[in-house]
Amino acid sequence: SRVVQVAAYRDRSAACVLVDRLQRLGFDSYLSGTRSTSPQRYRVRVRPSKGSSIAPLKNSLESRGFNVWVTRE
């Protein structure tokens, strides 16, 4: 399924701070670790709400100043 990636960090705690911030803003954000890169990266991603398309989610995040891109889980 398609998701919006907001950031990728080497530091897990920094990624968790952003996940929490996005959740407080009402987004379904989560942390996704990479499997193939070294050093480890922690990706901060947001799922669209059930039944919603990806475009409004991307636009909403961009309007809040996030530089995002659409990717697959």
Side-chain angles (χ1 to χ4, degrees):
S1 63
R2 292 171 39 164
V3 297
V4 177
Q5 185 162 320
V6 180
Y9 293 94
R10 289 184 184 163
D11 179 46
R12 182 179 170 84
S13 62
C16 288
V17 167
L18 182 54
V19 167
D20 291 342
R21 177 178 170 208
L22 289 165
Q23 288 175 348
R24 284 193 308 274
L25 290 170
F27 294 103
D28 184 11
S29 59
Y30 66 99
L31 193 61
S32 172
T34 58
R35 295 180 193 93
S36 61
T37 60
S38 182
Q40 174 78 24
R41 298 269 182 186
Y42 299 96
R43 299 175 294 212
V44 177
R45 293 182 167 180
V46 180
R47 293 178 192 94
S49 45
K50 196 167 200 127
S52 296
S53 67
I54 202 80
L57 173 61
K58 179 180 181 285
N59 293 339
S60 179
L61 288 161
E62 288 175 335
S63 73
R64 287 174 169 82
F66 294 104
N67 183 20
V68 301
W69 59 98
V70 175
T71 187
R72 296 204 178 268
E73 279 188 293

